[in-house]
Amino acid sequence: MTHTSFTLLGETIKPGSHAQLELTAPASYGNAVMAIPVYVFHGKKPGPCLFVSGAIHGDEINGAEIIRRLLKSSALKSIQGTLIAIPVVNMYGFMYQSRYLPDRRDLNRAFPGNKTGSLTSRLAHLFMNEIVKKCNYGIDLHSGALHRSNLPQIRINLATQHAERLAKAFNVPVILNANFRDGSLRQAANEMNIPILLYEAGEALRFDDIAIRLGVKGILNVMREINMLNHVRHKTAHIQPRIARASSWIRATKSGIMHPYKDLGKAVSRGEVIAVIADPFSREELEIIAPNSGIIIGRNNLPLVNEGEALFHVANFEEVEAVAYQVSEVQYENSDDWMDEF
Ligand SMILES: [Zn+2]
């Protein structure tokens, strides 16, 4: 089968080769040129084009590490189609350990962007036109915000074509149905009929090794599903990803010092005490009660809380115990303890 070269950012990549390119970010008032590294693997055989992006929020570094490990994977030697990997999209934020750009805007609220807009809007426009539009699929890697960790999870909008199939292929136990946010990459890509999976895992400015391992495996699993790689290896057969159709946050009903009783991935029952908020200056304590049953998919890690702040993100599942069991299995199988046995 004849197969043609791939052109990206003005460079031509021949079948069966790979290249490191640079996307030049819009100029800020500083004199420095901000180059965003872009890796391209163009297979010998034709197939779909997939992009994988990290650190659209500059402080969400798990995604950059997932891509770093993905790029070392020997599986990429035999891909069909084209993989475009961008470890750090928001290079400005990455430099300064910030979620935002220097104009204090959030890149994931600026898509599809505008050529003549703000710095953030221009970067969104550039990324959309130079990368996203060339692809058939995308995987966007995120973490929780500062002091908030997320259980590894895929977020999709069930109304999107292919979303459920790809989400299940990624093969983590928890999938959350989440509506599009205005200005998100997911929404802008959906309007161009490019399905995007959003992988949320870990916490900003921290590495979460289990989340990183699951992320690398998940991307390779999706590449198998869309026939960019041959099937079978790595897939943990016993996982049955389940979809939560809704989720809610449990908030602090008092300001004080929080002592959580439940970890990420654990099941909670309606009426259960999941944390205590203590007054640091008296002996007063207030119990935080779960209003619904579900699985904890996000948690605040900072003990100092103000009334109204989000403490636990709980996803509603029909089979809560089954999901909790799978989460604990996956955590164990991807932990150092398990790895050390081999
Ligand atoms: Zn994010």
Side-chain angles (χ1 to χ4, degrees), residues 251-269:
R251 293 179 180 277
T253 47
K254 181 185 187 305
S255 300
I257 310 268
M258 180 187 63
H259 299 270
Y261 291 167
K262 290 273 184 176
D263 279 332
L264 280 181
K266 298 290 185 231
V268 294
S269 307

Side-chain angles (χ1 to χ4, degrees), residues 139-160:
I139 303 176
D140 190 25
L141 307 170
H142 287 258
S143 302
L146 274 179
H147 306 306
R148 288 180 196 285
S149 45
N150 281 330
L151 184 75
Q153 60 197 263
I154 289 287
R155 292 192 184 168
I156 52 165
N157 184 326
L158 282 169
T160 312

Side-chain angles (χ1 to χ4, degrees), residues 57 60 99 108 141-143 200:
H57 292 131
E60 296 176 5
R99 176 184 179 90
N108 212 27
L141 307 170
H142 287 258
S143 302
E200 272 283 356

Side-chain angles (χ1 to χ4, degrees), residues 26-331:
S28 70
Y29 52 77
N31 197 27
V33 174
M34 192 67 85
I36 301 170
V38 175
Y39 295 85
V40 187
F41 287 76
H42 188 45
K44 275 187 188 148
K45 293 183 184 168
C49 182
L50 167 75
F51 78 84
V52 182
S53 52
I56 276 192
H57 292 131
D59 60 353
E60 296 176 5
I61 58 175
N62 282 307
E65 177 63 9
I66 288 169
I67 293 175
R68 193 187 72 82
R69 294 191 198 177
L70 175 73
L71 294 176
K72 287 169 65 181
S73 168
S74 57
L76 299 189
K77 287 182 190 144
S78 57
I79 67 164
Q80 300 174 30
T82 310
L83 172 72
I84 305 177
I86 310 94
V88 176
V89 178
N90 176 7
M91 188 62 83
Y92 305 98
F94 186 70
M95 294 282 298
Y96 294 100
Q97 301 173 11
S98 163
R99 176 184 179 90
Y100 303 103
L101 275 88
D103 62 1
R104 299 167 197 257
R105 289 180 169 90
D106 183 330
L107 182 57
N108 212 27
R109 305 287 179 273
F111 285 100
N114 189 325
K115 202 176 175 178
T116 55
S118 66
L119 181 71
T120 301
S121 182
R122 285 173 196 226
L123 178 58
H125 180 264
L126 189 70
F127 190 70
M128 212 64 205
N129 282 280
E130 298 295 340
I131 308 288
V132 179
K133 276 187 181 171
K134 317 266 178 188
C135 296
N136 310 104
Y137 303 94
I139 303 176
D140 190 25
L141 307 170
H142 287 258
S143 302
L146 274 179
H147 306 306
R148 288 180 196 285
S149 45
N150 281 330
L151 184 75
Q153 60 197 263
I154 289 287
R155 292 192 184 168
I156 52 165
N157 184 326
L158 282 169
T160 312
Q161 218 190 355
H162 303 298
E164 187 171 340
R165 175 173 69 92
L166 297 174
K168 287 186 170 165
F170 196 97
N171 211 35
V172 287
V174 169
I175 299 170
L176 179 62
N177 180 38
N179 289 334
F180 294 125
R181 275 183 189 263
D182 277 350
S184 67
L185 172 60
R186 221 158 51 100
Q187 184 193 50
N190 182 59
E191 280 173 15
M192 296 195 300
N193 289 318
I194 301 166
I196 302 261
L197 287 185
L198 189 145
Y199 179 58
E200 272 283 356
E203 179 183 352
L205 296 180
R206 296 280 182 276
F207 276 163
D208 179 327
D209 233 22
I210 292 175
I212 292 165
R213 286 170 188 157
L214 288 172
V216 176
K217 288 181 186 176
I219 294 165
L220 294 171
N221 285 334
V222 170
M223 290 173 73
R224 285 182 193 100
E225 177 65 24
I226 58 177
N227 297 318
M228 290 179 74
L229 291 173
N230 293 330
H231 279 262
V232 296
R233 275 203 314 142
H234 291 303
K235 183 117 178 172
T236 317
H238 62 266
I239 300 175
Q240 275 187 306
R242 288 178 170 83
I243 301 171
R245 284 170 201 276
S247 67
S248 56
W249 281 92
I250 300 175
R251 293 179 180 277
T253 47
K254 181 185 187 305
S255 300
I257 310 268
M258 180 187 63
H259 299 270
Y261 291 167
K262 290 273 184 176
D263 279 332
L264 280 181
K266 298 290 185 231
V268 294
S269 307
R270 183 184 176 147
E272 193 177 354
V273 178
I274 57 166
V276 160
I277 296 180
D279 183 335
F281 310 110
S282 76
R283 295 165 67 187
E284 204 181 309
E285 289 179 358
L286 181 81
E287 291 179 335
I288 301 293
I289 312 283
N292 296 304
S293 300
I295 298 287
I296 298 176
I297 61 165
R299 205 184 83 160
N300 166 49
N301 296 325
L302 183 69
L304 311 174
V305 298
N306 291 310
E307 187 174 342
E309 278 175 8
L311 305 180
F312 296 90
H313 190 194
V314 179
N316 310 350
F317 288 94
E318 282 166 16
E319 300 157 287
V320 170
E321 290 303 331
V323 177
Y325 177 73
Q326 289 215 333
V327 168
S328 65
E329 287 273 286
V330 165
Q331 283 174 336

